[in-house]
Each structure stands twice: as structure tokens, then as C-alpha cells.
Amino acid sequence: MAHPHSADWTPSPVRPKNPIALVFLAAVAVVTVLGPLLALILRVPWDRFTEIATKASTLEALGLSLYAAVLSTLITLGLGIPLSLWLLQSRASGWFIRLLFVLPLAMPPVVAGLALTAAIGRRSYTSGVLDALGINIAFTFNGVVASHVFITLPFIIVSADSALRQINQEIIDSALSIGMSYRRVICHVILPTILPAVGTGAGLALARSLGEFGATLTFAGSLPGETRTLPLAIYLNREVDADIAYVQAALLIFIAIIVLCLSALPAVWRKRHKHRVSRNIGLDRQRLGELTGATTNPVGINVNGCHVEAGSTTAVVGANGAGKTTLMKAIAGRLGGAELDFFAASGHESVDKPRVIILTQNPALPPASTVLQAITMATRDTGRAEELLNAAGLSELKSVPVPALSGGQSRQVAIVRAIAASPEVLILDEPFAGLDSSIAAQWKAYFRSTSQQRTTLLVTHNGHDISSLSDYVMSVAAGKIVSYDKTTKLTSAPSTKFLATTLGLNALVARLSLNIGANALGSGSVQISCGQLSLTVGEKRIELSDEDLKANNGEKLQVLATWLPSDAWLKKGEAKETTAEENCWVGTITDISVPHPTVCDITVCTHGEQVKITVSPLDASELGLELDDEITWGVSADKLAVTSLAAEEHKD
């Protein structure tokens, strides 16, 4: 054995050892299944195999079995797949219907034959109608096929239904949003995705049909040349000539093995793709903008009383669980419950629902397609799809299967697919997450240059993206829009604590310590309190409207105090001498991080409030700052800003 550190050593996965009891039980299972089959093979008179296998009676029964099995399998495919697609949409009663359709698997074959006799036999409830139509089913070849369909249909339903339920619903919703009809989604997205599972189900159905005995005998009988399938012939021959029965049984087993192997081919052929490395060629923003411009003018949105301007980019912000995704899906038409209408950019008159495309954090690309095919689903034009990929710098990926894409590549392809449909409204949920910084910068530049082509809603937690990409900011909390205003205003006077922290500001929810009214701030500084922290704020830094002050009505007004981390100072050891216009406290360092070579962020806890102070790594080193150190920190009154707090957060 090579030494672990030798040049020819390669790592191998560590596999756990199976318990002895598990190995023993597995061996028993193998013997239980293969033992009888092996015993049967040993009893076959191989010297007479060719003679018996080529007898007219054997070939007649075999041909009848194969014909009935193939025909019944085709019928079950034609019935089972549509039924499974329907079950996919039947959320309330789907479980009960699924239970009913797998019942034939648990039903004794003789009982199945009796059920068919009662339903479509010669003296059944439907015999009058069948006789009038001249249709005979019982004790005919049609009866053989009918019994096989009844027994094998559950195999197709179970296989297709299980595969359908594993498809991410976002893949279907995404395909519908880019303009594909549900019929095209079924043909180009759903069916190719479930093909391996359907192939396995068809193989099982065919193999089961070849071996069907009880229902066939009960409902169709054993008429030579018409209903006597190979299993029936085996049953009859075992009392007359056992050698013939054993040869026919072996023949049936060999055919079943071949059928099952063929059914597994779709799953085997679907390779486990390795991620494809591609060069970052770069975006052609101008060409990409020409190819993705909206076919009509952008439209504005009125959602839950909030007026979103047409042709603008709105940053949607809020804490995790605030309801941002739910609200965006309501705008996209995937969920109900929102007061929603769209209006034209000129005149604000209402318009019919435009094309709204939402790109969630899940790229939701069709797993059975190549990159080019995925884009063509949106463009319906292979040539234009290729142009889009070229302009996006992704031409090297056009023939790559979707499963072989990396996370960043999938996200880029999803972006191209979304803009390829030229939507009037585009909703992007963290679109740049997982992208290299250089690639993300190129896509941000594209969206900046084409922002007026469409109305864009950008869900983001990135403060820089809010400032650089958006015209407006929408804050969401508890499923409601708590504020909506121009970015330039809200970045300087944030309305929620979450927005303030997202923008990189320190934020404290506080109350004015003084009972003030409109136009009565005085000439000096103002005291505000946040728990045990008392802050002094310069009058000029208080940005409260007359409405806010009038609403105070003699009560302590709840506000939001913010400041930049770089505006604060800290000192280790003795407290710094301060003036009346400077705030100073003692706190404990809870975290030290260096997000950038020139920046060191110190998190300090004072009376339960966490604040961030930014210093240079050199200063942090010189001060000898370590976790749990007690330090003195502060911020001058003229660096603090006080703004009104959104109503929803005020309630909280």
C-alpha cells in the first residue's frame, strides 16, 4: 500500500462499514428473490429448449402476450400521464384519488377479473350499451387488453406522479411567466423532465402485463389463439408436460429481464454532468439592451395603495420573513389577495395586465434542456437566443445541459432568459447573489443603462445596490408596504431600522426626551433616549415633518437615530474628554471583522444596544483591541441624524 504522502497516492471516499446484522438480512433478501429463480432455471430441460420454444403453440401464446402487453402499455401511457398531470393540480383531493388508482396493485387478480366482469362483461351494467354498439370485450382479445390495462395502469400513475411531484414548481411558474402556454410547458419542460421515471414505469407495466394471469383468466378465459397468453399456457402445461412449462417460464423471465433493462436506459443515458468551465468574455451592454427592450412602453403599478412609477427601478427591502417574496409573487400574478392594477406611463390610465416576469433566487431552468433550448423557450427564435447569449458573454455555454451549469452560470442564464422575454415589469430577487464581483458589476451596469426600458422591482439586502441601482425604495414589514419614497431621500433619512442597517448605518429606535411641538425645537440641541442610552442631537440634524410633530400631541415621539460607523470614535483606557455636544459611553467589544484591507469594523455592546465603529486596521492594531475589551466610544451631536419612524415599525 502506498504511503499517504507518496506521489502516487490519490484520495478516495471513506465508506462506513455495514453492521453484520444488516449484511445478514440483505443476504436473506437476495436468497429469497434469487433462490426460486435459480431453482427454476436449474429445472429447465435445456436440451429441449429450442424444440419447445419454437413450437407453434408456444410462439402463438408468446406472440399474443407480447401484442397484448405492448398495446396495453401504450394505452396506460396515454391514460396515466394525463391523469398524473391532472392530479398535480388537484391539491385538495389528490391524495384520495391517488389511493384509489393504486388499489388494483393490492387487489387479488381474480377479484380484478370479477370487477371487470361486473363492469363491462356480457351481463354487466353496461352490456346493453356495448351490445348496441356491437362491442364485445369479455372472452375476446379486447378482454385480455382490458384486464392488462386495469392491472398495469397504477405502475404508470405511480411513476409519473412521483416524478411530477419532484419537479420544482418554480420551474413551471418560470416557464409560464416567460410567455409559454401550459401545453408548451407540458411538451417542452415537464415531459422531458419525467421521461426517465415514465420509462421505468412503462417497463414495469410491460413486464407485469407479460406475467398477468388471474384477471385475464377470469375475465377473458383461455381460448387458444385468442385469449391464451403465455402465463395461461404455462399454467395448463404444468399438468400435462412440466418440461414445456419450465421452458416457457424461462422464456418469459428472459423477456421480462430484457424489458426491464430497456426501461432503465433513459435514466442511464441521462449523464451525471460535470460543471463546465467557461471564460468571462464580458457583456455587450448596448447589443444586449437592443435585444431585450420591452415591446411596449413600461407600465406603472398600484399595489396595496402604493404607486410605483413606470420606467423606474424600485429597491424592495425588508427583514427575512417580512413578506417581500409574497408581495412580489402577488404582483407577478402567482398569488392573490393584493389590491393591484397597472397603468400606462402617460396619462395614468389603467391597462391590461402586462408581461410580468419574476426571477426568484432559484434560477428554475428546465433540467432536461440545454442552455440554448432554455433561452429559446422565451424567444421562440433560436437565432435571437444565440444573439442574446453572445451579447451576454455566454456563447460557450449554449450547448451545455442545464444540470452541468455552476450556480453562477445558472443565475446568469436565468437573467438572460428573463430579459429575453422583454417584460414590461421585471422582478429580481437578489439577482447578483453567487456571481463573481466582476461579472456582477457588468450586470449592474447593464441594468443601470437599460432601467427606463422596463419597470423593475429589485429585492435586495445590499446597501450599495440600493444607492446605485434604484430610483425608489419600498420597505416591507409584516407583509405590508410601510414606506415608499425616492432613494435619495430615504438614504439620508431612512424610515425603518432595517433600511438604515442595510445602508450600513448605525440605527437606534429612540424617543424625544422633551415634550416638543411643531416649530418648537428651540435653538439648541435636543435630547433623545434609547433605553438607558441618552443621546444629544444637534437641532439641524432632526428631520421631522410638521405632521410628525403635530402627531406628538404631548407624548414622547418615537424616532430613528442614525449615524455612520466612521463618524464614531473609540478609545481604550481612560475616557476621552467630551463636550456637552458630544455623546460618550462605555461598552464591550463583541466582534472584530476586517471586510476590506483598509477597513476594520468593531462591534460594541452598550446597555444591550449593538453599534458598529469603523477604524483602520492599523489603528485597531495600535490600540490593541481584542474581544471582550471594555472601551469608551462616542459620537458628536452634529453627526447624529433623527428621522421619523415608519408607522408599522412604530407599532412594533
Side-chain angles (χ1 to χ4, degrees):
M1 180 177 178
H3 191 274
H5 298 289
S6 62
D8 59 346
W9 178 81
T10 56
S12 58
V14 178
R15 303 185 183 280
K17 293 184 178 180
N18 291 314
I20 296 177
L22 188 149
V23 174
F24 173 75
L25 293 174
V28 172
V30 170
V31 172
T32 301
V33 175
L34 298 183
L37 294 177
L38 180 61
L40 186 148
I41 296 299
L42 293 175
R43 294 292 298 270
V44 175
W46 294 105
D47 56 334
R48 297 183 61 194
F49 184 86
T50 303
E51 173 198 345
I52 297 173
T54 56
K55 287 183 63 175
S57 59
T58 300
L59 294 176
E60 183 181 64
L62 177 60
L64 190 65
S65 292
L66 289 173
Y67 185 34
V70 171
L71 188 57
S72 64
T73 301
L74 293 175
I75 294 174
T76 56
L77 285 170
L79 298 176
I81 293 175
L83 176 60
S84 300
L85 289 168
W86 177 72
L87 287 174
L88 187 64
Q89 306 297 329
S90 303
R91 305 186 185 278
S93 59
W95 68 270
F96 182 69
I97 298 173
R98 291 184 178 93
L99 182 65
L100 291 178
F101 278 101
V102 298
L103 188 60
L105 293 177
M107 187 182 296
V110 175
V111 176
L114 290 175
L116 289 169
T117 301
I120 54 176
R122 292 177 176 177
R123 296 182 179 180
S124 65
Y125 293 107
T126 60
S127 59
V129 177
L130 295 175
D131 291 341
L133 297 173
I135 300 174
N136 295 316
I137 300 178
F139 299 98
T140 67
F141 178 75
N142 293 334
V144 176
V145 175
S147 60
H148 288 198
V149 169
F150 182 78
I151 294 296
T152 61
L153 184 58
F155 289 97
I156 300 296
I157 295 174
V158 170
S159 301
D161 181 60
S162 299
L164 285 170
R165 285 191 285 170
Q166 291 178 15
I167 298 177
N168 191 329
Q169 183 63 36
E170 184 62 32
I171 295 174
I172 298 174
D173 292 339
S174 175
L176 292 171
S177 72
I178 63 174
M180 297 179 68
S181 64
Y182 192 53
R183 179 184 62 81
R184 291 187 67 226
V185 172
I186 291 174
C187 295
H188 297 285
V189 178
I190 296 178
L191 291 182
T193 302
I194 67 172
L195 178 61
V198 171
T200 300
L204 292 173
L206 185 59
R208 179 66 181 86
S209 182
L210 287 170
E212 167 50 34
F213 172 78
T216 305
L217 181 62
T218 305
F219 182 60
S222 180
L223 305 176
E226 187 170 355
T227 65
R228 184 172 295 174
T229 59
L230 193 56
L232 297 179
I234 294 171
Y235 178 76
L236 295 174
N237 287 323
R238 63 187 288 270
E239 300 294 337
V240 179
D241 189 339
D243 285 353
I244 297 177
Y246 281 121
V247 169
Q248 292 176 337
L251 190 61
L252 195 61
I253 291 174
F254 291 153
I255 295 174
I257 291 174
I258 293 172
V259 169
L260 293 176
C261 290
L262 291 175
S263 69
L265 287 180
V268 173
W269 285 340
R270 183 164 288 183
K271 302 177 182 178
R272 294 184 178 181
H273 302 286
K274 296 182 179 179
H275 292 316
R276 171 74 175 270
V277 178
S278 64
R279 296 173 297 167
N280 181 16
I281 300 175
L283 274 69
D284 185 345
R285 294 203 307 271
Q286 182 177 353
R287 181 56 181 159
L288 196 59
E290 294 171 354
L291 293 168
T292 59
T295 56
T296 60
N297 293 325
V299 298
I301 311 168
N302 285 319
V303 52
N304 295 344
C306 179
H307 181 91
V308 180
E309 293 291 341
S312 65
T313 298
T314 298
V316 183
V317 300
N320 293 331
K324 302 186 298 297
T325 300
T326 301
L327 180 62
M328 296 301 103
K329 287 185 175 181
I331 295 174
R334 296 188 185 182
L335 297 175
E339 298 179 5
L340 183 69
D341 70 273
F342 300 90
F343 59 87
S346 58
H348 289 193
E349 65 272 12
S350 295
V351 297
D352 294 334
K353 187 177 183 298
R355 178 169 295 176
V356 181
I357 291 181
I358 178 173
L359 178 59
T360 65
Q361 297 185 45
N362 180 359
L365 298 173
S369 67
T370 64
V371 169
L372 181 60
Q373 290 170 340
I375 304 300
T376 305
M377 291 178 188
T379 63
R380 302 192 184 186
D381 183 346
T382 303
R384 181 166 172 261
E386 289 186 348
E387 286 189 74
L388 282 164
L389 289 172
N390 290 336
L394 302 173
S395 57
E396 293 184 355
L397 299 178
K398 66 180 182 180
S399 60
V400 177
V402 164
L405 298 174
S406 68
Q409 291 169 341
S410 297
R411 186 163 292 278
Q412 288 190 81
V413 173
I415 293 174
V416 174
R417 191 167 182 252
I419 61 179
S422 300
E424 287 84 17
V425 178
L426 178 63
I427 302 174
L428 302 171
D429 191 350
E430 299 285 355
F432 313 117
L435 298 182
D436 294 341
S437 57
S438 60
I439 297 175
Q442 294 180 54
W443 279 109
K444 291 175 185 180
Y446 160 78
F447 283 112
R448 276 196 299 269
S449 63
T450 61
S451 61
Q452 296 183 350
Q453 291 183 352
R454 63 185 75 85
T455 301
T456 304
L457 296 173
L458 174 65
V459 180
T460 182
H461 291 85
N462 188 300
H464 182 266
D465 290 348
I466 295 173
S467 303
S468 62
L469 296 178
S470 68
D471 305 304
Y472 297 86
V473 176
M474 177 189 295
S475 293
V476 180
K480 299 179 180 179
I481 301 173
V482 298
S483 67
Y484 178 84
D485 214 325
K486 290 184 177 181
T487 303
T488 53
K489 178 181 178 181
L490 289 181
T491 51
S492 61
S495 59
T496 66
K497 184 176 181 179
F498 182 84
L499 175 59
T501 55
T502 301
L503 293 170
L505 302 174
N506 285 310
L508 298 176
V509 178
R511 295 182 183 273
L512 291 173
S513 299
L514 300 178
N515 181 17
I516 60 174
N519 303 317
L521 286 173
S523 59
S525 59
V526 176
Q527 295 292 316
I528 62 176
S529 61
C530 178
Q532 300 183 49
L533 295 182
S534 180
L535 291 77
T536 302
V537 187
E539 177 191 347
K540 294 182 179 179
R541 299 287 291 167
I542 297 181
E543 303 179 18
L544 300 175
S545 66
D546 289 345
E547 290 76 12
D548 293 327
L549 296 173
K550 289 177 181 178
N552 185 26
N553 195 27
E555 301 293 332
K556 293 183 178 180
L557 180 65
Q558 195 171 26
V559 295
L560 188 67
T562 59
W563 68 94
L564 290 170
S566 58
D567 286 338
W569 57 263
L570 61 81
K571 183 177 177 62
K572 188 177 180 180
E574 297 180 2
K576 177 181 176 181
E577 293 184 6
T578 60
T579 65
E581 298 295 320
E582 191 160 30
N583 302 281
C584 181
W585 302 277
V586 175
T588 303
I589 297 178
T590 59
D591 186 55
I592 301 175
S593 63
V594 185
H596 190 271
T598 61
V599 174
C600 182
D601 289 332
I602 311 297
T603 304
V604 181
C605 180
T606 300
H607 297 304
E609 297 288 347
Q610 301 277 351
V611 299
K612 186 180 294 182
I613 302 172
T614 299
V615 298
S616 69
L618 180 60
D619 290 341
S621 178
E622 290 179 349
L623 289 171
L625 300 178
E626 296 181 358
L627 290 177
D628 299 325
D629 280 351
E630 187 174 277
I631 61 142
T632 302
W633 68 279
V635 59
S636 60
D638 61 351
K639 299 294 185 181
L640 282 167
V642 173
T643 58
S644 58
L645 194 66
E648 196 66 29
E649 288 211 351
H650 180 82
K651 292 177 183 178
D652 293 340

